[in-house]
Amino acid sequence: MNRAIRILGIDPGLRRTGWGLIGCEGDRLTYVACGSVETNEKMPLAERLVTIHDGLTRIVDEFRPDEAAVEATFVNRDATATLKLGQARGIALLVPAKAGVIVAEYAPNLVKKTIVGAGHAEKAQIRLMVGVLLPKADPQSEDAADALAIALTHAHHRSSAILKAAAR
């Protein structure tokens, strides 16, 4: 009997990077763990990025995911904030990839549509649906709930995501 595929979802953020781990065995999805890596806003950017890197590295080392999924950055009006978020996102892509884990990326609207059924869902709706889909999950932050939603999205779209990654 094969073990469930472990999928790590990552919601990149400079203040808090959410992470969520689920098991996927056929159509059966199970909650494994979730949380967030928090940084101190008073620290220099480079040190905050190191905190995110080290936190995600510990998670990857501890849970040994088979696949990972990261939310794509949306561009907002504040170019500086978008650039900084992009740097945190780079860390979120780098850590699992460096560990040999296949990494997929999903647009925020696709995550919302997959989990809630609408591409413009509110965070509260996402958190509610994550609870419905993973009854044992109790994310303590919106970032952790979003990360679980990203992992769930990957579970639903993983066949096409893996084929795209293999074609590169």
Side-chain angles (χ1 to χ4, degrees):
M1 193 158 115
N2 296 336
R3 77 170 178 89
I5 300 292
R6 286 186 163 210
I7 300 171
L8 175 63
I10 303 173
D11 181 30
L14 200 50
R15 284 188 208 120
R16 280 178 307 280
T17 292
W19 62 273
L21 194 76
I22 64 170
C24 177
E25 195 168 7
D27 291 338
R28 187 169 168 259
L29 302 173
T30 55
Y31 168 74
V32 177
C34 69
S36 59
V37 177
E38 296 190 35
T39 67
N40 182 337
E41 293 181 50
K42 295 177 183 175
M43 292 171 57
L45 176 61
E47 290 180 35
R48 294 173 78 184
L49 294 173
V50 168
T51 300
I52 294 166
H53 175 274
D54 292 350
L56 289 177
T57 298
R58 278 191 300 277
I59 291 154
V60 168
D61 288 347
E62 180 180 347
F63 292 106
R64 301 280 182 209
D66 300 294
E67 299 171 13
V70 177
E71 188 172 72
T73 303
F74 63 92
V75 178
N76 60 31
R77 292 182 188 164
D78 183 352
T80 303
T82 300
L83 181 61
K84 287 179 180 179
L85 176 59
Q87 292 169 333
R89 189 172 169 278
I91 301 294
L93 292 165
L94 172 74
V95 170
K98 194 161 178 179
V101 177
I102 294 172
V103 182
E105 300 172 59
Y106 296 96
N109 283 350
L110 179 60
V111 174
K112 292 172 184 177
K113 188 169 186 175
T114 301
I115 302 305
V116 178
H120 298 287
E122 298 294 323
K123 289 204 177 270
Q125 292 173 295
I126 293 169
R127 196 169 189 163
L128 180 70
M129 284 307 296
V130 164
V132 169
L133 296 168
L134 299 170
K136 293 184 179 179
D138 184 24
Q140 298 300 306
S141 69
E142 287 181 346
D143 305 290
D146 288 351
L148 286 169
I150 294 161
L152 288 164
T153 298
H154 182 67
H156 289 286
H157 296 279
R158 65 186 290 270
S159 298
S160 58
I162 291 170
L163 290 174
K164 282 182 192 175
R168 291 182 191 156

